[in-house]
């Protein structure tokens, strides 16, 4: 039961933060970021919202009786955290002239976790037929 609640909570939190960060980017950061930085920031927001919705759907549809379901959700939770939040950090730090370069490798790691989460989700659909 706690995994279901955690999945739904994180999905809701990511959705809320995506709206807040999206508004922040569109208004407060529009004049502080370059067009490329703003586009990157918006990519982080977009991916965060997509995965917030996915987490909510999975939280209401998974029973979390199989480890595979937990792996999928963990990939989406941690992948989103690493991917989107590293982009936010890179954009905001670059705008202040002190780019946090150590975050550069974090973004693709988060992206990889998202890809693994989607691959595992696809596998969960076809596994019963194998």
């Amino acid at each position: 039961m706690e995994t279901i609640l955690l999945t739904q909570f994180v999905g809701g939190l990511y959705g809320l933060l995506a709206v807040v960060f999206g508004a922040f980017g569109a208004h407060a950061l529009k004049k502080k970021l370059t067009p490329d930085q703003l586009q990157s920031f918006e990519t982080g927001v977009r991916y965060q919202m997509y995965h917030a919705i996915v987490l909510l759907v999975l939280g209401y549809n998974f029973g979390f009786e199989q480890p595979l379901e937990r792996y999928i959700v963990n990939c989406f939770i941690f992948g989103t955290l690493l991917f989107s939040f590293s982009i936010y950090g890179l954009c905001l730090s670059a705008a202040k002239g002190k780019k946090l370069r150590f975050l550069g490798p974090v973004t693709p790691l988060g992206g990889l976790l998202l890809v693994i989460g989607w691959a595992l989700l696809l596998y969960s659909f076809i596994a019963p037929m194998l």
Side-chain angles (χ1 to χ4, degrees), residues 44-90:
V45 170
R46 190 170 46 254
Y47 274 60
Q48 182 177 332
M49 182 57 84
Y50 293 157
H51 290 91
I53 294 166
V54 169
L55 286 168
L56 290 171
V57 169
L58 295 179
Y60 282 101
N61 286 286
F62 278 178
F64 295 98
E65 296 163 2
Q66 300 174 4
L68 180 60
E69 293 173 341
R70 286 185 198 87
Y71 298 147
I72 293 166
V73 165
N74 284 334
C75 282
F76 287 145
I77 289 173
F78 292 110
T80 302
L81 182 69
L82 295 175
F83 182 82
S84 292
F85 287 79
S86 66
I87 289 175
Y88 304 148
L90 286 166

